[in-house]
Amino acid sequence: MNTESLAASLFQQLQQGQGLQQVSQQLGIDQNQASGAIGAALPLLLGAMGRNAQEPQGAQALLGALQRDHAPASSGGFDLGGLLGSVLGGGGGNATNGAGILGHVFGGNTERATQGLSQATGLDSSKTSQLLAILAPIVMSYLAQRFASGGNPNQLSQALGQEAQSANSGGLLTSVLDQDGDGQLGVGDLLKLGGGLFGKR
């Protein structure tokens, strides 16, 4: 069994090939900044999905969306380059509608997620908003490649539950999703989380 987290695995794929370069160019930032921001954003996205998937109907709904809109077109699996091209080019319908996916993932808290990520990374919120919208379809396609064909919501729920647990230890996920939080975003904790997931232990 692969013990590497989904966030860490996807982060590594984005570091390879042209992915990181394309994202940094789109956001107008250097590749080091883009790498750090992606490293903070992926646990936040996957952790929020994990929160949603802890409810049986939430896991079932997510699996249905993966199978309907994001299942790989061919047995070739996860085509990051092609997907990034569609996301950045604005084609692809529901599968690449980052803003729509974020609305489902964060509910009414997308703005708080954007602001929290902005504080954690030092990027302005327009860039973190753009980054989350780029990454959301990529995360969904990645999950579809891993889980859609099996059709087992429990498996999906379990894997995402582990992501939520990891992300919760960073503090930002809780403050974004808990309406009665104290407003402290735990920025230092999130950066430590990103370093722990993606840096050398």
Side-chain angles (χ1 to χ4, degrees):
M1 165 126 183
N2 182 7
T3 56
E4 184 178 50
S5 80
L6 295 172
S9 174
L10 183 51
F11 180 78
Q12 284 179 352
Q13 292 198 40
L14 277 160
Q15 296 282 341
Q16 296 159 2
Q18 301 294 306
L20 185 61
Q21 185 184 351
Q22 287 176 280
V23 172
S24 66
Q25 285 174 347
Q26 184 73 15
L27 297 178
I29 58 179
D30 68 43
Q31 290 192 30
N32 282 338
Q33 284 180 300
S35 179
I38 291 167
L42 286 175
L44 181 62
L45 273 168
L46 281 158
M49 288 181 185
R51 280 282 191 92
N52 297 340
Q54 294 318 291
E55 300 292 325
Q57 64 270 33
Q60 190 64 61
L62 178 56
L63 185 63
L66 295 178
Q67 291 170 327
R68 185 179 64 246
D69 295 328
H70 302 278
S74 70
S75 58
F78 184 60
D79 173 19
L80 179 58
L83 181 61
L84 254 177
S86 296
V87 171
L88 299 179
N94 286 346
T96 57
N97 180 2
I101 294 167
L102 291 175
H104 289 296
V105 172
F106 292 113
N109 294 324
T110 304
E111 183 68 26
R112 289 179 72 169
T114 298
Q115 296 290 348
L117 193 58
S118 174
Q119 288 193 30
T121 59
L123 298 176
D124 67 57
S125 56
S126 68
K127 291 193 191 308
T128 55
S129 174
Q130 209 179 346
L131 177 64
L132 286 171
I134 291 169
L135 290 178
I138 292 171
V139 168
M140 290 291 278
S141 290
Y142 181 69
L143 291 175
Q145 188 243 333
R146 296 280 292 254
F147 299 103
S149 60
N152 184 342
N154 293 335
Q155 214 177 13
L156 178 64
S157 175
Q158 194 176 2
L160 285 173
Q162 290 169 351
E163 301 295 320
Q165 221 171 355
S166 298
N168 266 338
S169 68
L172 180 62
L173 181 67
T174 303
S175 66
V176 166
L177 297 182
D178 289 352
Q179 296 287 355
D180 56 357
D182 60 2
Q184 299 303 306
L185 288 168
V187 171
D189 290 336
L190 180 77
L191 291 176
K192 277 187 281 186
L193 169 71
L197 273 176
F198 308 122
K200 290 178 179 159
R201 291 188 180 280

